[in-house]
mmCIF file of all heavy atoms in Angstrom:
data_model
loop_
_atom_site.group_PDB
_atom_site.id
_atom_site.type_symbol
_atom_site.label_atom_id
_atom_site.label_comp_id
_atom_site.label_asym_id
_atom_site.label_seq_id
_atom_site.Cartn_x
_atom_site.Cartn_y
_atom_site.Cartn_z
ATOM 1 N N ASN A 166 -22.310 -15.818 -9.801
ATOM 2 C CA ASN A 166 -22.907 -14.928 -8.756
ATOM 3 C C ASN A 166 -21.903 -13.984 -8.191
ATOM 4 O O ASN A 166 -22.230 -12.858 -7.733
ATOM 5 C CB ASN A 166 -23.435 -15.856 -7.639
ATOM 6 C CG ASN A 166 -24.696 -16.608 -8.090
ATOM 7 O OD1 ASN A 166 -25.380 -16.193 -8.963
ATOM 8 N ND2 ASN A 166 -24.890 -17.681 -7.411
ATOM 9 N N PRO A 205 -22.976 -7.615 -10.379
ATOM 10 C CA PRO A 205 -24.161 -6.742 -10.554
ATOM 11 C C PRO A 205 -25.179 -7.333 -11.565
ATOM 12 O O PRO A 205 -26.383 -7.114 -11.343
ATOM 13 C CB PRO A 205 -23.651 -5.443 -10.987
ATOM 14 C CG PRO A 205 -22.235 -5.657 -11.460
ATOM 15 C CD PRO A 205 -21.759 -6.947 -10.808
ATOM 16 N N GLU A 206 -24.692 -8.040 -12.549
ATOM 17 C CA GLU A 206 -25.652 -8.604 -13.519
ATOM 18 C C GLU A 206 -26.492 -9.729 -12.930
ATOM 19 O O GLU A 206 -27.724 -9.716 -13.118
ATOM 20 C CB GLU A 206 -24.854 -9.115 -14.714
ATOM 21 C CG GLU A 206 -25.666 -9.584 -15.846
ATOM 22 C CD GLU A 206 -24.851 -10.073 -17.028
ATOM 23 O OE1 GLU A 206 -23.673 -10.203 -16.896
ATOM 24 O OE2 GLU A 206 -25.465 -10.303 -18.082
ATOM 25 N N ALA A 207 -25.835 -10.546 -12.118
ATOM 26 C CA ALA A 207 -26.595 -11.645 -11.469
ATOM 27 C C ALA A 207 -27.554 -11.062 -10.442
ATOM 28 O O ALA A 207 -28.623 -11.607 -10.240
ATOM 29 C CB ALA A 207 -25.621 -12.660 -10.782
ATOM 30 N N LYS A 208 -27.135 -10.013 -9.673
ATOM 31 C CA LYS A 208 -28.038 -9.413 -8.789
ATOM 32 C C LYS A 208 -29.271 -8.824 -9.408
ATOM 33 O O LYS A 208 -30.412 -8.989 -8.964
ATOM 34 C CB LYS A 208 -27.241 -8.291 -8.047
ATOM 35 C CG LYS A 208 -28.057 -7.624 -6.888
ATOM 36 C CD LYS A 208 -27.197 -6.592 -6.199
ATOM 37 C CE LYS A 208 -27.947 -6.003 -5.031
ATOM 38 N NZ LYS A 208 -27.097 -4.991 -4.347
ATOM 39 N N ARG A 209 -29.081 -8.148 -10.546
ATOM 40 C CA ARG A 209 -30.201 -7.552 -11.304
ATOM 41 C C ARG A 209 -31.190 -8.645 -11.702
ATOM 42 O O ARG A 209 -32.406 -8.492 -11.631
ATOM 43 C CB ARG A 209 -29.693 -6.799 -12.523
ATOM 44 C CG ARG A 209 -30.717 -5.990 -13.203
ATOM 45 C CD ARG A 209 -30.146 -5.129 -14.425
ATOM 46 N NE ARG A 209 -28.813 -4.661 -14.245
ATOM 47 C CZ ARG A 209 -27.759 -5.111 -14.924
ATOM 48 N NH1 ARG A 209 -27.900 -6.014 -15.837
ATOM 49 N NH2 ARG A 209 -26.566 -4.569 -14.700
ATOM 50 N N VAL A 210 -30.709 -9.766 -12.294
ATOM 51 C CA VAL A 210 -31.552 -10.824 -12.784
ATOM 52 C C VAL A 210 -32.271 -11.436 -11.587
ATOM 53 O O VAL A 210 -33.497 -11.768 -11.693
ATOM 54 C CB VAL A 210 -30.668 -11.867 -13.493
ATOM 55 C CG1 VAL A 210 -31.565 -13.076 -13.839
ATOM 56 C CG2 VAL A 210 -30.188 -11.222 -14.814
ATOM 57 N N GLY A 211 -31.589 -11.613 -10.468
ATOM 58 C CA GLY A 211 -32.257 -12.112 -9.251
ATOM 59 C C GLY A 211 -33.373 -11.246 -8.771
ATOM 60 O O GLY A 211 -34.413 -11.752 -8.333
ATOM 61 N N LEU A 212 -33.180 -9.946 -8.843
ATOM 62 C CA LEU A 212 -34.224 -9.047 -8.391
ATOM 63 C C LEU A 212 -35.445 -9.021 -9.299
ATOM 64 O O LEU A 212 -36.589 -9.034 -8.877
ATOM 65 C CB LEU A 212 -33.665 -7.563 -8.328
ATOM 66 C CG LEU A 212 -32.730 -7.271 -7.185
ATOM 67 C CD1 LEU A 212 -32.094 -5.889 -7.329
ATOM 68 C CD2 LEU A 212 -33.469 -7.347 -5.852
ATOM 69 N N ILE A 213 -35.168 -9.180 -10.585
ATOM 70 C CA ILE A 213 -36.249 -9.268 -11.560
ATOM 71 C C ILE A 213 -37.079 -10.611 -11.373
ATOM 72 O O ILE A 213 -38.313 -10.597 -11.384
ATOM 73 C CB ILE A 213 -35.717 -9.159 -13.008
ATOM 74 C CG1 ILE A 213 -35.225 -7.722 -13.251
ATOM 75 C CG2 ILE A 213 -36.771 -9.495 -14.022
ATOM 76 C CD1 ILE A 213 -34.404 -7.602 -14.570
ATOM 77 N N ALA A 214 -36.269 -11.664 -11.118
ATOM 78 C CA ALA A 214 -37.004 -12.941 -10.941
ATOM 79 C C ALA A 214 -37.822 -12.986 -9.700
ATOM 80 O O ALA A 214 -38.945 -13.530 -9.618
ATOM 81 C CB ALA A 214 -35.960 -14.095 -10.900
ATOM 82 N N SER A 215 -37.262 -12.356 -8.576
ATOM 83 C CA SER A 215 -38.044 -12.368 -7.352
ATOM 84 C C SER A 215 -39.249 -11.439 -7.455
ATOM 85 O O SER A 215 -40.287 -11.634 -6.904
ATOM 86 C CB SER A 215 -37.112 -11.841 -6.227
ATOM 87 O OG SER A 215 -36.710 -10.553 -6.437
ATOM 88 N N ALA A 216 -39.166 -10.366 -8.248
ATOM 89 C CA ALA A 216 -40.316 -9.512 -8.466
ATOM 90 C C ALA A 216 -41.420 -10.211 -9.244
ATOM 91 O O ALA A 216 -42.618 -10.113 -8.940
ATOM 92 C CB ALA A 216 -39.938 -8.227 -9.228
ATOM 93 N N ILE A 217 -41.049 -11.026 -10.218
ATOM 94 C CA ILE A 217 -41.998 -11.814 -10.984
ATOM 95 C C ILE A 217 -42.658 -12.823 -10.117
ATOM 96 O O ILE A 217 -43.868 -13.081 -10.169
ATOM 97 C CB ILE A 217 -41.349 -12.408 -12.212
ATOM 98 C CG1 ILE A 217 -40.952 -11.355 -13.299
ATOM 99 C CG2 ILE A 217 -42.245 -13.455 -12.878
ATOM 100 C CD1 ILE A 217 -40.107 -11.813 -14.386
ATOM 101 N N ALA A 218 -41.825 -13.546 -9.263
ATOM 102 C CA ALA A 218 -42.355 -14.567 -8.341
ATOM 103 C C ALA A 218 -43.295 -13.939 -7.329
ATOM 104 O O ALA A 218 -44.317 -14.528 -6.979
ATOM 105 C CB ALA A 218 -41.217 -15.303 -7.684
ATOM 106 N N ALA A 219 -42.975 -12.725 -6.833
ATOM 107 C CA ALA A 219 -43.880 -12.087 -5.891
ATOM 108 C C ALA A 219 -45.203 -11.691 -6.511
ATOM 109 O O ALA A 219 -46.287 -11.750 -5.860
ATOM 110 C CB ALA A 219 -43.165 -10.838 -5.322
ATOM 111 N N GLY A 220 -45.171 -11.359 -7.791
ATOM 112 C CA GLY A 220 -46.388 -11.000 -8.459
ATOM 113 C C GLY A 220 -47.301 -12.231 -8.697
ATOM 114 O O GLY A 220 -48.483 -12.093 -8.689
ATOM 115 N N ASP A 221 -46.653 -13.379 -8.901
ATOM 116 C CA ASP A 221 -47.406 -14.559 -9.138
ATOM 117 C C ASP A 221 -48.024 -15.008 -7.817
ATOM 118 O O ASP A 221 -49.270 -15.300 -7.749
ATOM 119 C CB ASP A 221 -46.529 -15.656 -9.721
ATOM 120 C CG ASP A 221 -47.245 -16.911 -10.059
ATOM 121 O OD1 ASP A 221 -48.426 -16.880 -10.285
ATOM 122 O OD2 ASP A 221 -46.620 -17.954 -10.087
ATOM 123 N N GLY A 222 -47.213 -15.163 -6.754
ATOM 124 C CA GLY A 222 -47.677 -15.505 -5.409
ATOM 125 C C GLY A 222 -48.253 -16.879 -5.193
ATOM 126 O O GLY A 222 -48.804 -17.134 -4.172
ATOM 127 N N HIS A 223 -48.089 -17.761 -6.140
ATOM 128 C CA HIS A 223 -48.627 -19.102 -5.978
ATOM 129 C C HIS A 223 -47.588 -20.180 -5.747
ATOM 130 O O HIS A 223 -47.875 -21.338 -5.535
ATOM 131 C CB HIS A 223 -49.408 -19.540 -7.222
ATOM 132 C CG HIS A 223 -50.588 -18.687 -7.409
ATOM 133 N ND1 HIS A 223 -51.680 -18.656 -6.483
ATOM 134 C CD2 HIS A 223 -50.997 -17.874 -8.364
ATOM 135 C CE1 HIS A 223 -52.604 -17.824 -6.897
ATOM 136 N NE2 HIS A 223 -52.193 -17.322 -8.082
ATOM 137 N N GLY A 224 -46.298 -19.883 -5.756
ATOM 138 C CA GLY A 224 -45.283 -20.946 -5.623
ATOM 139 C C GLY A 224 -44.022 -20.405 -4.902
ATOM 140 O O GLY A 224 -43.888 -19.218 -4.518
ATOM 141 N N HIS A 225 -43.143 -21.358 -4.838
ATOM 142 C CA HIS A 225 -41.813 -21.081 -4.216
ATOM 143 C C HIS A 225 -40.780 -21.254 -5.335
ATOM 144 O O HIS A 225 -40.695 -22.322 -5.919
ATOM 145 C CB HIS A 225 -41.584 -22.001 -3.044
ATOM 146 C CG HIS A 225 -40.262 -21.880 -2.392
ATOM 147 N ND1 HIS A 225 -39.989 -20.824 -1.520
ATOM 148 C CD2 HIS A 225 -39.083 -22.559 -2.535
ATOM 149 C CE1 HIS A 225 -38.700 -20.920 -1.141
ATOM 150 N NE2 HIS A 225 -38.199 -22.006 -1.711
ATOM 151 N N TYR A 226 -40.008 -20.242 -5.654
ATOM 152 C CA TYR A 226 -39.064 -20.287 -6.720
ATOM 153 C C TYR A 226 -37.657 -20.209 -6.235
ATOM 154 O O TYR A 226 -37.366 -19.493 -5.263
ATOM 155 C CB TYR A 226 -39.317 -19.130 -7.725
ATOM 156 C CG TYR A 226 -40.709 -19.133 -8.303
ATOM 157 C CD1 TYR A 226 -41.733 -18.405 -7.800
ATOM 158 C CD2 TYR A 226 -40.972 -19.965 -9.389
ATOM 159 C CE1 TYR A 226 -42.990 -18.414 -8.308
ATOM 160 C CE2 TYR A 226 -42.273 -20.040 -9.968
ATOM 161 C CZ TYR A 226 -43.244 -19.215 -9.401
ATOM 162 O OH TYR A 226 -44.489 -19.274 -9.968
ATOM 163 N N VAL A 227 -36.771 -20.932 -6.834
ATOM 164 C CA VAL A 227 -35.345 -20.899 -6.535
ATOM 165 C C VAL A 227 -34.611 -20.697 -7.854
ATOM 166 O O VAL A 227 -34.790 -21.546 -8.752
ATOM 167 C CB VAL A 227 -34.927 -22.249 -5.819
ATOM 168 C CG1 VAL A 227 -33.412 -22.196 -5.546
ATOM 169 C CG2 VAL A 227 -35.653 -22.422 -4.484
ATOM 170 N N VAL A 228 -33.753 -19.760 -7.876
ATOM 171 C CA VAL A 228 -32.866 -19.519 -9.032
ATOM 172 C C VAL A 228 -31.638 -20.317 -8.826
ATOM 173 O O VAL A 228 -30.797 -20.023 -7.942
ATOM 174 C CB VAL A 228 -32.497 -17.978 -9.231
ATOM 175 C CG1 VAL A 228 -31.596 -17.807 -10.392
ATOM 176 C CG2 VAL A 228 -33.793 -17.145 -9.374
ATOM 177 N N LYS A 229 -31.446 -21.369 -9.651
ATOM 178 C CA LYS A 229 -30.266 -22.289 -9.508
ATOM 179 C C LYS A 229 -29.111 -21.782 -10.313
ATOM 180 O O LYS A 229 -27.953 -21.953 -9.928
ATOM 181 C CB LYS A 229 -30.686 -23.668 -9.877
ATOM 182 C CG LYS A 229 -31.707 -24.227 -8.963
ATOM 183 C CD LYS A 229 -31.711 -25.718 -8.954
ATOM 184 C CE LYS A 229 -32.739 -26.187 -7.951
ATOM 185 N NZ LYS A 229 -32.448 -27.377 -7.328
ATOM 186 N N SER A 230 -29.390 -21.240 -11.479
ATOM 187 C CA SER A 230 -28.304 -20.723 -12.342
ATOM 188 C C SER A 230 -28.842 -19.719 -13.241
ATOM 189 O O SER A 230 -30.039 -19.646 -13.543
ATOM 190 C CB SER A 230 -27.632 -21.906 -13.181
ATOM 191 O OG SER A 230 -28.524 -22.327 -14.129
ATOM 192 N N ILE A 231 -27.989 -18.813 -13.698
ATOM 193 C CA ILE A 231 -28.354 -17.767 -14.621
ATOM 194 C C ILE A 231 -27.423 -17.884 -15.806
ATOM 195 O O ILE A 231 -26.206 -18.013 -15.653
ATOM 196 C CB ILE A 231 -28.123 -16.374 -13.953
ATOM 197 C CG1 ILE A 231 -28.973 -16.232 -12.781
ATOM 198 C CG2 ILE A 231 -28.455 -15.244 -14.936
ATOM 199 C CD1 ILE A 231 -28.751 -14.970 -11.912
ATOM 200 N N LYS A 232 -28.059 -17.901 -16.996
ATOM 201 C CA LYS A 232 -27.225 -18.080 -18.214
ATOM 202 C C LYS A 232 -27.562 -16.911 -19.155
ATOM 203 O O LYS A 232 -28.691 -16.440 -19.162
ATOM 204 C CB LYS A 232 -27.492 -19.386 -18.873
ATOM 205 C CG LYS A 232 -27.052 -20.540 -18.013
ATOM 206 C CD LYS A 232 -27.249 -21.848 -18.685
ATOM 207 C CE LYS A 232 -26.791 -22.986 -17.739
ATOM 208 N NZ LYS A 232 -26.689 -24.201 -18.388
#
Side-chain angles (χ1 to χ4, degrees):
N166 290 335
E206 185 177 11
K208 184 177 181 179
R209 186 177 328 112
V210 171
L212 288 172
I213 292 169
S215 63
I217 291 171
D221 184 24
H223 295 296
H225 178 76
Y226 300 98
V227 176
V228 177
K229 296 201 178 210
S230 68
I231 300 171
K232 296 185 181 190

